[in-house]
Amino acid sequence: MNDKRSGSKRRALAALLAGALALALCACSQFDGRYDDEDFLTSSFDSYATVLRAGHIRDDGSYALEASSFSGVETLNTFTVEQDQAVCEAASTLTCTEGEAKLLVVDTEAGTIAAQWPLDSAGPMTVTLPAGSYRLRIAGKSAKFDGQITLTLDGQALPWNDILADVQDGLSGLLDGELKDALQDTKDSLTEAFGDPGTA
């Protein structure tokens, strides 16, 4: 009897998660029309829709980032420049295999874009900045990307604000028991319905 209840709960949760994933897939391009909208890209708020987005700080100090689909704009780091003529350099191996994506340095006080580069730029991306507060952001248009970023200011590596990692650490504790089983059931159902994405 107890096994039947547990199985019913898992199936109900799997159906709910599958529905939420389908809704997310439909909504993941909702900000594509704002990819070149400077007011949107320099806003104080992050606005994005994403599927399978992950990021973490690597042992070498770079920030690894990937997304299966990303639309909108997200802040990756915030930093302050103390003196004028500081050289900010973003060394990126991020590549975009679908859609479009770019890195932005946004002057938060002026509300302007100080620099922008497409993800597939060759070599380091450099900009000389006046004193002030800045955000390193990523903007995407139905973008699929993967790679790492290193950010330096006058040759010194900047630490990363790893808010996402803190959230992921908190959520990892939830992936036990029934929730873990339900997620596996959802994955199995989606694979059965749509095929294994790894074989596409």
Side-chain angles (χ1 to χ4, degrees), residues 2 10 14 23 29 44 62 100 104 107 120 125 129 131 138 142 145 149 158 164-165 170 176 184 192-193 196:
N2 203 11
R10 280 203 327 245
L23 184 61
S29 63
S44 326
S62 66
E100 297 178 61
L104 313 166
D107 183 326
D120 300 320
M125 301 162 282
L129 300 171
I138 188 164
S142 292
F145 52 77
I149 312 166
L158 290 172
L164 181 67
D176 292 323
Q184 185 61 51
E192 184 177 323
D196 185 350

Side-chain angles (χ1 to χ4, degrees), residues 106-139:
V106 174
D107 183 326
T108 56
E109 293 164 7
T112 57
I113 297 173
Q116 61 181 314
W117 310 279
L119 287 198
D120 300 320
S121 297
M125 301 162 282
T126 304
V127 60
T128 301
L129 300 171
S133 299
Y134 297 88
R135 288 190 186 108
L136 177 69
R137 306 186 102 177
I138 188 164

Side-chain angles (χ1 to χ4, degrees), residues 81-119:
V81 173
E82 301 292 345
Q83 297 181 341
D84 288 343
Q85 303 302 305
V87 177
C88 177
E89 182 176 277
S92 168
T93 64
L94 280 169
T95 55
C96 188
T97 54
E98 290 178 19
E100 297 178 61
K102 57 189 172 185
L103 291 172
L104 313 166
V105 175
V106 174
D107 183 326
T108 56
E109 293 164 7
T112 57
I113 297 173
Q116 61 181 314
W117 310 279
L119 287 198

Side-chain angles (χ1 to χ4, degrees), residues 26-183:
C26 292
C28 68
S29 63
Q30 71 185 60
F31 298 109
D32 282 359
R34 311 208 55 194
Y35 184 70
D36 293 312
D37 179 345
E38 186 163 348
D39 289 338
F40 175 74
L41 298 175
T42 59
S43 165
S44 326
F45 304 101
D46 290 353
S47 300
Y48 62 91
T50 186
V51 175
L52 300 177
R53 191 283 197 202
H56 67 277
I57 300 170
R58 293 163 47 97
D59 291 341
D60 64 4
S62 66
Y63 190 73
L65 182 63
E66 64 179 307
S68 290
S69 182
F70 181 89
S71 172
V73 65
E74 178 187 9
T75 301
L76 301 177
N77 208 354
T78 59
F79 60 97
T80 302
V81 173
E82 301 292 345
Q83 297 181 341
D84 288 343
Q85 303 302 305
V87 177
C88 177
E89 182 176 277
S92 168
T93 64
L94 280 169
T95 55
C96 188
T97 54
E98 290 178 19
E100 297 178 61
K102 57 189 172 185
L103 291 172
L104 313 166
V105 175
V106 174
D107 183 326
T108 56
E109 293 164 7
T112 57
I113 297 173
Q116 61 181 314
W117 310 279
L119 287 198
D120 300 320
S121 297
M125 301 162 282
T126 304
V127 60
T128 301
L129 300 171
S133 299
Y134 297 88
R135 288 190 186 108
L136 177 69
R137 306 186 102 177
I138 188 164
K141 182 177 181 180
S142 292
K144 179 177 182 180
F145 52 77
D146 183 27
Q148 294 87 40
I149 312 166
T150 302
L151 189 64
T152 61
L153 191 62
D154 286 334
Q156 298 294 314
L158 290 172
W160 292 95
N161 307 331
D162 201 14
I163 298 168
L164 181 67
D166 295 339
V167 172
Q168 287 174 332
D169 288 344
L171 290 175
S172 68
L174 297 175
L175 298 180
D176 292 323
E178 288 186 24
L179 180 57
K180 184 176 182 180
D181 292 340
L183 288 172

